[in-house]
């Protein structure tokens, strides 16, 4: 077979170029530490690496969201701790305010301190996060949530009931905020089911209670009975006001009795007891209907002391009352001058006692919200562990698909280097075999 000089040169150049290309590729692999530099190097591994990289990127976004949510919730948790301390301090002052030894000056001092606590509560309710958004304004992060409402001259809420959420997993969103109305405004007053208050004296209309009867918060002994009574339209003159009751005392000589009335139609009470019941200080007053058909409401309350003739106490279903209203009411009670008829010491004690009960409900509400925040933080920790494991798996898989085997690559590089040198040397020899070298 005849081989021309052109073939010799073309073959020699092709061999040198091919070996140079292989050597260059190995050099790039060694310098980058990656086996797959282009899809052509390993199409299957390249496609799998792309999918793994995308999954790892999404997982990294979830990790970032988890970190942001945890930071936000930790900030809220700190504010809830401060709120708990504030409310506990208020309750301590109310215990002090209930002392019979306090003078008017002492009550004013307690009122001033509670006024400072009210201002601190307002500041805390308008707390902001590190991004300059209000923590407790719902979706309206740029709106100041709490301020005096000109229409009512009371503290109003100007946020909404939404909770900002972050996508912390492929199928999971977690709230990273707390709605301020749920925390500060929707606190159930009384015992959470109903509230007991002084109702004024019916013998002397327009006057407050004149006796020494001090009430407690009352309690529900059977919630099923209470709910059934509230839903029983046959009990109430106006079912829309189910649960509105009034207890009126009658004093005749040494005998004190009471009657329970359906007060769902104000001004038209209907007696629920077939006969007035005898009163004993400290004994539970069972809320019931003994006229046919008899119904036990599954609830009671206790009065200590001696109510005067005509003194009354009202029972109504618990409603939402803000922490601000509770503080403002008790500050007003502390500042009111105690007198024999317009505002008695017993009335003052009952007002302070009701405030303590409402502060207890506020603490329970804060505890409920703290439990929710703690549950979210625990969930984030669990999701973070899974996301960190996924990150390691993705990185391990990417390493299997893309990373270079240095021992093999160095061996191949040395071999290719030797092949290139041999090709260059042989080309130099064969290029001298032209006939022109002998003419």
């Amino acid at each position: 077979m005849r081989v021309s000089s052109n073939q010799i040169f073309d073959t020699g150049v092709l061999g040198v170029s091919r070996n140079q290309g292989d050597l260059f590729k190995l050099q790039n692999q060694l310098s980058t530490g990656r086996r797959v530099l282009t899809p052509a190097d390993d199409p299957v591994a390249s496609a799998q690496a792309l999918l793994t990289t995308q999954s790892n990127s999404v997982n990294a976004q979830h990790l970032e969201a988890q970190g942001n949510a945890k930071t936000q919730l930790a900030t809220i948790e700190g504010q809830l701790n401060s709120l708990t301390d504030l409310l506990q301090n208020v309750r301590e002052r109310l215990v002090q305010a209930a002392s019979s030894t306090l003078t008017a000056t002492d009550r004013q001092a307690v009122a001033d301190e509670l006024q400072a606590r009210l201002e601190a509560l307002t500041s805390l309710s308008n707390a902001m996060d590190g991004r300059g958004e209000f923590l407790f304004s719902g979706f309206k992060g740029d709106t100041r949530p709490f301020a005096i409402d000109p229409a009512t001259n009371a503290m109003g809420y100007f946020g909404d009931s939404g909770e900002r959420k972050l996508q912390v997993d492929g199928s999971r969103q977690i709230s990273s905020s707390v709605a301020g109305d749920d925390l500060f405004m929707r606190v159930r007053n009384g015992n959470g089911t109903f509230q007991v208050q002084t109702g004024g004296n019916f013998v002397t209309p327009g006057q407050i209670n004149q006796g020494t009867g001090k009430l407690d918060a009352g309690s529900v002994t059977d919630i099923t009975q209470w709910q059934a009574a509230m839903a029983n339209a046959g009990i109430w003159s106006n079912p829309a006001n189910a649960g509105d009751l009034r207890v009126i005392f009658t004093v005749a000589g040494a005998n004190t009795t009471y009657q329970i009335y359906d007060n769902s139609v104000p001004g038209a009470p209907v007696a629920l007891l077939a006969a007035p019941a005898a009163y004993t200080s400290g004994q539970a007053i069972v809320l019931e209907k003994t006229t046919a058909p008899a119904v036990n409401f599954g609830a009671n309350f206790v009065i200590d002391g001696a109510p005067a003739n005509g003194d009354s106490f009202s029972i109504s279903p618990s409603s939402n009352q803000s922490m601000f209203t509770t503080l403002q009411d008790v500050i007003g009670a502390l500042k009111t001058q105690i007198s024999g008829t317009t505002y008695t010491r017993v009335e003052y004690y009952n007002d302070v006692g009701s405030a303590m009960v409402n502060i207890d409900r506020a603490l329970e509400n804060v505890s409920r919200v703290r439990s929710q925040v703690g549950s979210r933080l625990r969930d984030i920790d669990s999701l973070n562990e899974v996301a960190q494991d996924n990150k390691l798996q993705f990185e391990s898989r990417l390493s299997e698909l893309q990373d270079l085997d240095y021992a093999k690559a160095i061996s191949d590089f040395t071999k290719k280097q030797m092949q290139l040198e041999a090709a260059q040397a042989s080309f130099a020899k064969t290029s001298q075999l032209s006939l022109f070298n002998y003419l």
Side-chain angles (χ1 to χ4, degrees), residues 91 94-95 98 326 349 351-361:
R91 199 185 191 290
L94 292 181
V95 171
T326 296
Y349 288 149
D351 286 345
V352 172
S354 295
M356 280 194 282
V357 171
N358 291 333
I359 290 296
D360 288 340
R361 297 290 82 75

Side-chain angles (χ1 to χ4, degrees), residues 227-267:
Q227 292 172 344
M230 297 304 104
N232 189 344
I235 298 175
W236 311 101
S237 301
N238 179 9
N241 292 333
D244 280 347
L245 300 167
R246 186 177 293 275
V247 178
I248 301 178
F249 286 82
T250 300
V251 179
N255 295 322
T256 300
T257 59
Y258 63 88
Q259 175 63 268
I260 301 175
Y261 293 90
D262 161 23
N263 197 49
S264 59
V265 176

Side-chain angles (χ1 to χ4, degrees), residues 380-398:
I380 289 174
D381 288 339
S382 297
L383 291 171
N384 188 262
E385 290 179 5
V386 174
Q388 292 291 352
D389 289 342
N390 289 340
K391 178 183 178 182
L392 290 175
Q393 292 175 7
F394 290 141
E395 291 176 349
S396 176
R397 181 57 179 159
L398 281 173

Side-chain angles (χ1 to χ4, degrees), residues 24-199:
F24 176 73
K25 177 181 176 181
L26 284 167
Q27 186 178 22
N28 281 342
Q29 289 177 334
L30 287 168
S31 63
T32 60
R34 294 180 58 182
R35 179 180 65 84
V36 180
L37 298 174
T38 65
D41 295 336
D42 190 334
V44 175
S46 180
Q48 292 180 349
L50 178 61
L51 292 175
T52 304
T53 300
Q54 290 174 340
S55 298
N56 195 30
S57 177
V58 171
N59 188 66
Q61 292 176 352
H62 290 159
L63 280 169
E64 182 179 0
Q66 289 166 15
N68 292 337
K70 190 169 185 177
T71 299
Q72 193 81 350
L73 290 172
T75 302
I76 293 174
E77 174 68 13
Q79 296 298 323
L80 294 178
N81 284 336
S82 298
L83 178 57
T84 300
D85 292 341
L86 186 150
L87 292 175
Q88 288 175 340
N89 179 264
V90 168
R91 199 185 191 290
E92 291 170 1
R93 299 288 78 76
L94 292 181
V95 171
Q96 177 185 355
S99 172
S100 59
T101 61
L102 261 64
T103 64
T105 301
D106 296 331
R107 291 196 302 274
Q108 181 62 49
V110 176
D112 292 341
E113 186 172 353
L114 291 183
Q115 183 64 44
R117 298 286 78 76
L118 176 59
E119 293 172 1
L121 177 64
T122 303
S123 176
L124 193 151
S125 66
N126 289 317
M128 305 177 77
D129 61 18
R131 297 175 298 179
E133 294 185 340
F134 291 98
L135 285 174
F136 303 113
S137 60
F139 291 136
K140 300 179 179 181
D142 57 348
T143 299
R144 179 185 174 94
F146 293 96
I148 298 298
D149 188 344
T152 61
N153 200 33
M155 187 66 72
Y157 180 65
F158 297 95
D160 58 32
S161 298
E163 292 184 346
R164 285 161 265 175
K165 298 179 181 291
L166 289 174
Q167 190 78 32
V168 294
D169 190 59
S171 59
R172 184 75 182 279
Q173 290 184 331
I174 282 185
S175 297
S176 61
S177 67
V178 171
D181 57 346
D182 184 45
L183 176 60
F184 294 95
M185 307 297 282
R186 292 204 292 262
V187 181
R188 304 296 288 177
N189 56 19
N191 59 31
T193 302
F194 63 88
Q195 62 171 335
V196 187
Q197 296 175 298
T198 55

Side-chain angles (χ1 to χ4, degrees), residues 405-423:
D405 183 345
Y406 273 95
K408 184 177 181 303
I410 291 172
S411 176
D412 290 344
F413 183 84
T414 303
K415 182 173 68 174
K416 287 294 181 182
Q417 188 177 31
M418 182 181 67
Q419 290 175 348
L420 176 59
E421 291 173 353

